[in-house]
């Protein structure tokens, strides 16, 4: 486990979720970097550019992760080994989130994530992304693994879903639009009795949940 960790740096631990993730800097997003300059876009309110994400030690860690996933030839093998062995609160991982900060960098990056998913079939992988052109290009020559849910995020707040074959979608909406937009409303925001964490909800990971609405925050 310690040797595998050398090749990935570390996993992230998103506070709302009952699992680990893998984050890189939101400042390295390709599509997101352009959207951040557009008023009314989801990325103009990016949560991953504030709070604990801005700490120098966190940014340094995310930069190391990006360097390793890009350049370390053992990164894929290390991630597969780690996810197959890792425990979360006393049980083996059965869900995993990609990029609680950051996004897909390249076709090669997406291929690596797909390979990891294929080699960890007991885990449902959730990959939210705004890189719809890249995903469209990738699926021309690849098949999305059964246990990898690529969820395409809409660019604009209260926008319309961005559809890509084989993928699910999500929209960020204002509070007044919860309950008025087609799809599943995230209970963290829509249900006052749910609590601030995901709890038992695993809708984001499910391909059967075709669209999810998250409240802008």
């Amino acid at each position: 486990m310690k040797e595998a960790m050398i090749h990935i740096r570390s996993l992230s631990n998103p506070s709302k979720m009952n699992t680990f993730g893998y984050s890189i800097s939101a400042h390295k997003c390709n599509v997101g970097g352009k959207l951040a300059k557009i008023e009314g876009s989801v990325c103009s309110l990016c949560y991953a550019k504030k709070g604990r994400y801005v700490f120098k030690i966190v940014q340094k860690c995310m930069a190391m992760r990006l360097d390793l996933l890009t350049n370390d030839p053992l990164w894929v093998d290390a991630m597969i080994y780690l996810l197959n062995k890792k425990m979360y609160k006393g049980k083996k991982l059965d869900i995993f989130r990609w990029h609680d900060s950051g996004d897909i960098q390249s076709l090669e990056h997406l291929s690596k994530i797909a390979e990891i998913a294929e080699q960890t079939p007991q885990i449902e992988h959730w990959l939210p992304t705004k890189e719809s052109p890249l995903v469209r290009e990738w699926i021309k020559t690849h098949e999305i693994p059964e246990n990898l849910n690529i969820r395409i995020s809409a660019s604009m707040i209260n926008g319309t879903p961005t559809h890509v074959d084989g993928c699910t979608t999500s929209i960020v909406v204002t509070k007044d639009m919860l309950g008025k937009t087609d799809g599943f409303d995230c209970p963290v925001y829509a249900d006052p009795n749910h609590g601030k964490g995901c709890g038992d909800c695993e809708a984001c990971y499910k391909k059967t949940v075709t669209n999810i609405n998250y409240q802008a925050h």
Side-chain angles (χ1 to χ4, degrees):
M1 294 282 280
K2 288 182 179 179
E3 185 177 349
M5 200 67 77
I6 292 171
H7 299 283
I8 72 163
R9 178 57 178 85
S10 63
L11 299 176
S12 59
N13 191 4
S15 59
K16 290 182 179 179
M17 299 163 198
N18 293 323
T19 188
F20 295 104
Y22 198 79
S23 62
I24 57 179
S25 176
H27 294 281
K28 297 296 183 180
C29 293
N30 297 316
V31 170
K34 297 174 183 176
L35 288 173
K37 302 174 184 178
I38 300 175
E39 186 176 354
S41 77
V42 174
C43 297
S44 67
L45 302 177
C46 182
Y47 68 86
K49 291 182 178 178
K50 52 190 176 183
R52 65 180 180 83
Y53 287 99
V54 304
F55 296 160
K56 287 185 178 180
I57 191 170
V58 175
Q59 287 294 320
K60 182 179 179 180
C61 181
M62 292 193 292
M64 292 176 68
R65 291 192 191 123
L66 177 57
D67 178 65
L68 290 168
L69 75 85
T70 304
N71 299 309
D72 191 326
L74 293 178
W75 183 79
V76 170
D77 289 340
M79 283 294 296
I80 292 169
Y81 181 85
L82 197 67
L83 295 184
N84 279 326
K85 297 291 185 179
K86 194 72 173 173
M87 306 284 284
Y88 186 87
K89 294 184 178 180
K91 68 172 187 176
K92 287 192 173 182
L93 294 184
D94 56 5
I95 56 173
F96 186 77
R97 172 173 183 172
W98 289 95
H99 304 151
D100 51 289
S101 170
D103 209 333
I104 308 166
Q105 300 293 297
S106 64
L107 295 172
E108 182 182 11
H109 185 179
L110 181 51
S111 290
K112 289 178 178 180
I113 290 174
E115 183 177 352
I116 292 166
E118 288 176 347
Q119 296 301 319
T120 55
Q122 76 283 6
I123 298 174
E124 292 185 87
H125 294 256
W126 167 33
L127 173 59
T129 181
K130 291 182 178 63
E131 300 288 337
S132 53
L134 189 153
V135 175
R136 285 194 182 96
E137 184 65 26
W138 187 83
I139 62 175
K140 290 178 182 178
T141 53
H142 299 79
E143 290 190 8
I144 302 172
E146 182 86 15
N147 62 326
L148 174 60
N149 184 17
I150 302 176
R151 193 172 287 281
I152 307 294
S153 306
S155 298
M156 304 302 291
I157 297 171
N158 292 332
T160 56
T162 301
H163 294 287
V164 176
D165 288 345
C167 301
T168 56
T169 62
S170 68
I171 309 172
V172 172
V173 299
T174 50
K175 186 176 181 179
D176 61 298
M177 293 303 295
L178 287 173
K180 301 176 183 177
T181 306
D182 290 342
F184 176 81
D185 291 336
C186 173
V188 171
Y189 307 104
D191 182 356
N193 299 315
H194 181 81
K196 295 183 179 180
C198 295
D200 294 332
C201 180
E202 297 182 357
C204 297
Y205 305 83
K206 306 294 185 182
K207 293 185 178 183
T208 52
V209 183
T210 56
N211 181 69
I212 295 182
N213 305 312
Y214 304 106
Q215 183 180 313
H217 63 286

